[in-house]
Amino acid sequence: MGRRLSRLGCLATFVSLLTLTIAAPAAAAGYDSTDYVALGDSYSSGVGAPGQSGLCLRSSQGYPGRWAAANKPKSFTNLACSGAETGDVRNLQIPFLSSSAELITITIGGNDAGFASTVIGCQVGTDAACAAKVASARTDIENSIPGKLDATYAAIKRKAPNAEVVVLGYPQLFDTSSASCGIAGMSLAKRRVLNEGARLLNDVIEGRAGAAGFTYSDVEDEFAGHGICASSPYLNGLTVIPPQNSFHPNATGYTRGYLPALNSAL
């Protein structure tokens, strides 16, 4: 019996050492030699989270800052800016992108689709007016935005040809499990049509990112059940102070929504 236990002990030790040996490369494969750059719009600059500063409203509590704090890359630069469209990324961000960048993340396309004006218009207008605004945005999403994304992704590849690029999508803004959304909340019809518009935009972004050879990470699963009007939302509803936080992820949304989506893509 003692010999059997001894043999089992030796076997267990061998398995443990083998496991450590196999796991060692993974543990060593960190990001301490990685140059990381975040590009894009307010969803990458960190609007909606605490600590926003500067004209671009960047916050270290957005998903890029949180990822950098957790993974400690060699360098981290956040070039994302609130309100940015695809042309702004090409003209105002990529010129400052290092050609040696090894990891790039980006959210872009929402402002090209008229995200802010559409949502605000739906907030104050009728169901029919909201549907009309989303239909107008849908035309842009289908006809003009694919080319704008192609040009932007191509510019990133030219400037940093060796970088791994992760393109993140946008969440479904609204929870639609209940007809009620509070006194100032939108009707169920408005919430549904806005979610449909966001889904279409994500489909286009995913397609163009794939065509560019980039990795696309969908955040809809991470935000599922946590839209505006849910009991534990990951997004800010209409916000008076500060107004720019309206319809952007809150701190929890960046931590439990965007950050896990980025980690899964990597």
Side-chain angles (χ1 to χ4, degrees):
M1 188 68 176
R3 182 177 296 178
R4 183 183 178 191
L5 288 174
S6 177
R7 287 176 178 172
L8 288 173
C10 290
L11 179 60
T13 301
F14 172 75
V15 171
S16 297
L17 289 173
L18 181 61
T19 301
L20 288 173
T21 302
I22 294 172
Y31 294 92
D32 56 343
S33 62
T34 299
D35 293 312
Y36 168 42
V37 180
L39 301 174
D41 54 25
S42 53
Y43 275 61
S44 289
S45 71
V47 171
Q52 300 164 50
S53 64
L55 294 176
C56 287
L57 300 175
R58 297 181 185 125
S59 169
S60 62
Q61 302 304 305
Y63 79 83
R66 288 181 177 274
W67 187 91
N71 292 278
K72 297 178 173 54
K74 177 183 177 181
S75 68
F76 165 53
T77 306
N78 193 343
L79 298 175
C81 195
S82 176
E85 298 183 6
T86 49
D88 298 315
V89 173
R90 295 194 301 273
N91 299 322
L92 301 176
Q93 297 180 26
I94 292 177
F96 298 95
L97 173 64
S98 171
S99 59
S100 63
E102 294 162 297
L103 174 62
I104 297 170
T105 60
I106 182 171
T107 57
I108 199 65
N111 292 315
D112 294 84
F115 165 81
S117 61
T118 299
V119 177
I120 294 299
C122 285
Q123 180 73 47
V124 300
T126 64
D127 288 359
C130 178
K133 288 189 73 67
V134 174
S136 177
R138 184 186 186 96
T139 300
D140 288 336
I141 292 170
E142 293 177 327
N143 297 327
S144 65
I145 289 181
K148 293 178 179 179
L149 292 173
D150 287 346
T152 303
Y153 297 157
I156 293 172
K157 291 178 73 172
R158 285 194 300 270
K159 189 63 184 288
N162 298 317
E164 177 182 4
V165 181
V166 179
V167 178
L168 296 106
Y170 296 97
Q172 298 290 295
L173 287 180
F174 299 96
D175 181 79
T176 57
S177 60
S178 172
S180 175
C181 191
I183 297 175
M186 292 194 200
S187 69
L188 183 59
K190 291 179 181 179
R191 284 178 275 148
R192 283 176 172 167
V193 75
L194 283 166
N195 282 352
E196 289 170 3
R199 188 173 294 111
L200 174 63
L201 177 59
N202 283 334
D203 288 344
V204 170
I205 293 172
E206 180 178 12
R208 303 329 303 157
F214 295 165
T215 299
Y216 175 78
S217 184
D218 188 353
V219 301
E220 292 185 18
D221 286 346
E222 285 80 5
F223 280 83
H226 298 282
I228 298 166
C229 304
S231 58
S232 56
Y234 286 1
L235 296 125
N236 297 295
L238 184 64
T239 307
V240 177
I241 302 175
Q244 73 269 11
N245 282 2
S246 299
F247 311 111
H248 284 81
N250 54 32
T252 305
Y254 285 117
T255 303
R256 297 184 181 178
Y258 269 97
L259 187 58
L262 175 55
N263 285 332
S264 67
L266 296 174

